[in-house]
Amino acid sequence: MPGRRGAAAAIGAAALLATTAGCGMLGLGGEDEKSDEDRLVEMVNESNRIEAELASAEFRVVEQCLEEQGYTVHDPWMLQPYESPEQESLTEYYPHESFLVDAEEAAEYGFGQWANSPDGWEDPATEDYWAAEEEEYQEDGWEEPDTTDWDALEPEEQYGWYVAYQGQEYAEWQYGSAQDYADMMSGEGEFAEEEVVEGEESAEGEIDVEEDMEPEPKPGGCQLEMIEALWGEPTLTEDTWEGEGGAEESYSYWTYRPENPTWGDETMWEDIELEYGDKMVDLQTELVDCISARGYEGWEFDQYNSLPVWEFFGTLYYQNATEEEKDMMVGDSDAEVPPIPDAAGTTYEEWKAYEIQTAVDFAECGEETGYADASEKAYAEVHVEAYAAIEQDVYGWQEEMNDAITKAQELLDA
């Protein structure tokens, strides 16, 4: 079965690791031998494939439980496994891509921030820009599920399915009562859009989108049955972070499956950025010197080894906007941005021209310093080191997940 293929791949990869362990970071030892990066990319793709297969098996166990209760039509959005597109490298982006744009693209679109501005929404060129972006970044091989059968159900039938799927408490946390859900689906509930006459306030007042959401309840229903059968009891997990004003904020949620090690933890990603920054520090100085010589004063690299292009042009285009619009589009970023120079002008047309010229000049400085090529090389190196450090953990995780796939199939066949 598919699970055995995954297990065989994990064993084969571990064997390959043993045969190449003495070859060094460049994978030397023969022209036909895979480099360390190629091997690690295969490891990441295999982990993603196993994870998608496992999610599909879990959903089939849930579906079987639901159908035994008479629910033969399912919400396809809730039971749709996702498989990441196959990666060709260990990183899907490079830090320099946000501020060093291809020269031809820079001359036509700049950084593209004008298309996000209030005046840009009325710019005829915006439609062409977003069409080009959609074509470039369209998702590979992913299609929206067919919801025809689900949409044909009455709201009370759909709500009953949610209760059977995750339990009464979870359904109420997610959708409210059965009546709340029916009202929402009919367009009369709390989440329905209100028609507000321009210049008037809604009778209900403004919705505080920052209001704390209640903690996620423990899953129930068929989802809990699946979790207990494959993994045991779910675990309540809490994430904490520093919020506005330095206050500690947190959110609790339930987990049950061992996390894919290739996702990395916070420390791993922090180390990657730090080591990459150390490798690039001299070139970062050269690049800043180059753009400064062209009249772009005050630019500094941030903690993510990037120049704050988005924040700067957000400030430029929204300088005359309302505070609410600024908060929504610019936010409260801690990035240090240069003051807006007189050369940027005072109208949208002048701001857009300034953005395009900035992108062109940055691109030329990137070419002069060799920044992009060095950045790609350095970023690849630190990723190889980071993934190699967790390699054995990943193979162990793959084996454990393949065992779970086999167990899920046994449940389905019982």
Side-chain angles (χ1 to χ4, degrees):
M1 63 172 287
R4 296 193 182 96
R5 290 203 302 271
I11 294 170
L16 178 59
L17 174 64
T19 61
T20 60
C23 298
M25 287 306 295
L26 296 179
L28 302 177
E31 291 184 2
D32 296 332
E33 205 167 85
K34 288 185 174 67
S35 70
D36 280 2
E37 182 173 14
D38 288 340
R39 186 187 72 252
L40 294 169
V41 169
E42 287 185 0
M43 177 189 76
V44 169
N45 285 328
E46 175 66 2
S47 293
N48 290 339
R49 187 202 64 77
I50 289 174
E51 190 151 36
E53 184 177 342
L54 177 57
S56 180
E58 290 176 342
F59 286 147
R60 289 199 303 274
V61 172
V62 170
E63 285 181 7
Q64 180 173 274
C65 170
L66 290 166
E67 289 171 5
E68 287 173 354
Q69 299 180 45
Y71 295 99
T72 57
V73 177
H74 309 292
D75 180 351
W77 286 105
M78 299 296 289
L79 301 181
Q80 182 186 40
Y82 172 77
E83 183 172 3
S84 300
E86 188 165 302
Q87 294 181 208
E88 296 181 357
S89 66
L90 292 176
T91 179
E92 298 179 80
Y93 80 100
Y94 298 96
H96 66 268
E97 291 178 346
S98 64
F99 59 89
L100 293 182
V101 183
D102 174 77
E104 185 176 339
E105 182 180 343
E108 184 173 3
Y109 295 124
F111 298 109
Q113 292 305 306
W114 52 270
N116 288 311
S117 69
D119 295 297
W121 300 334
E122 307 299 327
D123 189 333
T126 297
E127 184 175 347
D128 293 337
Y129 171 76
W130 288 119
E133 287 290 293
E134 183 177 355
E135 182 177 348
E136 182 176 356
Y137 294 108
Q138 62 182 337
E139 294 181 277
D140 298 328
W142 186 85
E143 296 182 2
E144 290 190 4
D146 182 1
T147 63
T148 304
D149 292 341
W150 173 259
D151 294 338
L153 296 179
E154 294 296 325
E156 55 267 26
E157 295 177 289
Q158 293 180 351
Y159 190 82
W161 184 93
Y162 288 126
V163 171
Y165 172 39
Q166 291 178 300
Q168 182 72 43
E169 184 181 4
Y170 204 99
E172 290 180 359
W173 175 78
Q174 192 79 31
Y175 304 106
S177 67
Q179 186 60 54
D180 291 334
Y181 181 80
D183 291 343
M184 180 179 69
M185 297 304 293
S186 67
E188 299 176 358
E190 178 182 354
F191 301 106
E193 293 186 10
E194 294 184 21
E195 184 177 341
V196 181
V197 179
E198 186 175 353
E200 294 183 1
E201 292 185 357
S202 162
E204 298 296 327
E206 294 184 354
I207 297 175
D208 183 8
V209 296
E210 297 183 356
E211 183 179 351
D212 290 338
M213 192 173 187
E214 293 181 6
E216 180 184 25
K218 180 179 178 180
C222 287
Q223 186 181 49
L224 181 60
E225 287 190 26
M226 177 276 293
I227 293 170
E228 291 176 336
L230 293 179
W231 308 105
E233 282 294 310
T235 302
L236 184 62
T237 303
E238 183 178 54
D239 280 349
T240 60
W241 63 92
E242 185 176 307
E244 190 173 343
E248 184 179 277
E249 297 183 14
S250 65
Y251 178 71
S252 299
Y253 55 95
W254 292 86
T255 60
Y256 60 89
R257 186 202 302 165
E259 187 173 277
N260 184 344
T262 63
W263 292 356
D265 57 22
E266 185 176 347
T267 301
M268 172 178 163
W269 300 122
E270 288 176 351
D271 289 345
I272 284 175
E273 292 301 326
L274 287 172
E275 292 173 25
Y276 166 77
D278 288 343
K279 290 176 180 288
M280 295 299 296
V281 64
D282 291 337
L283 269 179
Q284 288 177 354
T285 300
E286 285 186 39
L287 185 67
V288 169
D289 288 345
C290 179
I291 63 175
S292 295
R294 291 171 179 253
Y296 301 96
E297 300 285 350
W299 286 87
E300 295 180 358
F301 278 86
D302 61 23
Q303 61 179 321
Y304 305 108
N305 296 295
S306 180
L307 293 175
V309 167
W310 187 89
E311 292 86 352
F312 173 80
F313 284 102
T315 302
L316 175 68
Y317 288 115
Y318 281 83
Q319 60 185 292
N320 299 323
T322 66
E323 289 302 319
E324 184 179 0
E325 289 174 326
K326 288 180 183 178
D327 288 342
M328 180 176 65
M329 296 304 296
V330 182
D332 56 354
S333 171
D334 294 331
E336 293 288 337
V337 299
I340 298 174
D342 293 339
T346 57
T347 66
Y348 166 73
E349 289 75 16
E350 291 174 327
W351 297 337
K352 180 179 177 181
Y354 180 77
E355 178 190 336
I356 291 174
Q357 187 60 53
T358 302
V360 169
D361 288 338
F362 277 29
E364 290 178 355
C365 280
E367 186 68 26
E368 289 177 19
T369 59
Y371 194 96
D373 289 342
S375 171
E376 290 184 11
K377 181 175 182 293
Y379 216 50
E381 287 175 352
V382 297
H383 274 77
V384 167
E385 293 170 2
Y387 279 98
I390 63 171
E391 193 166 10
Q392 291 306 312
D393 291 338
V394 174
Y395 295 136
W397 176 88
Q398 289 179 354
E399 185 175 356
E400 184 180 358
M401 296 308 102
N402 277 307
D403 289 343
I405 292 171
T406 301
K407 187 174 183 180
Q409 188 59 50
E410 292 172 352
L411 291 173
L412 293 168
D413 294 339

